[in-house]
Amino acid sequence: MSEVNSTTELHKILAFLNEIGINIIEKQLDESTFLPGLALGPNCVYIDYEKLSYPGDILHEAGHIAVTSPTDRARIGTETMAKDWPSQGEEIATMLWSFAACKHLNLPLDYVFHAGGYKGSSNWLMDNFDTGNYIGLPFFEWTQMAYSEQKALEMNLPAFPKMVKWVREKE
């Protein structure tokens, strides 16, 4: 992992998520969570700091909330949420959102895309994103969260990896 002051970077992440309206709730979690020390709930990320292995995973989990429709955000972690959530498109958008968040927060990509995650595809994802192969950008354009260089130019907006909206508003 890159040389990163975990406490400083963690505070930077938490302040950013608070700023964009993604709630963080400290909560004791059991061992059954998908990622150590993290779970998702309605409009929130639960964090058990004692069990958290990779603070960068917080951004990925927050990305799930950010790219989910407003109606479904309130269902996350409940029995009413679709069993197949997140969709493959939302998972890809979550990874791209995490990349944009890293750029926005000036974090090294391997802080989120660490070797312990992404089923061995961390380097592949970082290489694609670093070379401008923004897998998932059409999803962002459809949800009006971010735009390609061409569309951004036409609309007089910043181009990805700048986000126009950090949290999805479109159903």
Side-chain angles (χ1 to χ4, degrees):
M1 183 181 229
S2 297
E3 293 297 317
V4 176
N5 178 331
S6 291
T7 303
T8 301
E9 302 309 328
L10 178 60
H11 288 294
K12 188 187 289 190
I13 289 169
L14 297 176
F16 167 68
L17 296 177
N18 181 59
E19 179 182 313
I20 64 170
I22 294 178
N23 298 316
I24 300 296
I25 299 173
E26 189 171 354
K27 179 179 179 179
Q28 190 172 14
L29 299 169
D30 62 27
E31 303 299 326
S32 68
T33 60
F34 180 72
L35 293 172
L38 292 170
L40 293 175
N43 294 305
C44 70
V45 178
Y46 297 118
I47 303 176
D48 185 335
Y49 292 102
E50 295 296 316
K51 293 182 177 88
L52 183 64
S53 295
Y54 297 100
D57 287 345
I58 297 167
L59 277 180
H60 180 85
E61 293 304 290
H64 280 297
I65 294 168
V67 305
T68 298
S69 71
T71 300
D72 282 344
R73 273 198 297 276
R75 296 180 180 141
I76 295 172
T78 71
E79 293 295 318
T80 62
M81 185 51 131
K83 299 296 179 215
D84 61 349
W85 177 85
S87 69
Q88 288 182 341
E90 288 168 328
E91 184 64 44
I92 291 166
T94 297
M95 289 184 261
L96 193 59
W97 187 94
S98 301
F99 169 79
C102 279
K103 291 296 187 183
H104 178 75
L105 296 171
N106 199 30
L107 295 172
L109 292 183
D110 64 356
Y111 191 73
V112 172
F113 298 97
H114 53 81
Y118 300 93
K119 300 177 183 174
S121 297
S122 299
N123 286 333
W124 180 82
L125 287 165
M126 289 187 291
D127 290 344
N128 272 279
F129 295 154
D130 267 341
T131 59
N133 185 17
Y134 299 136
I135 306 157
L137 189 53
F139 179 92
F140 281 166
E141 290 180 339
W142 175 72
T143 58
Q144 303 168 340
M145 294 174 72
Y147 297 95
S148 65
E149 284 188 34
Q150 180 181 342
K151 287 190 180 183
L153 186 60
E154 291 170 8
M155 300 171 75
N156 197 30
L157 293 169
F160 189 83
K162 300 281 187 195
M163 299 292 288
V164 175
K165 296 175 187 163
W166 281 104
V167 178
R168 178 177 169 182
E169 295 173 359
K170 183 177 182 177
E171 285 295 324

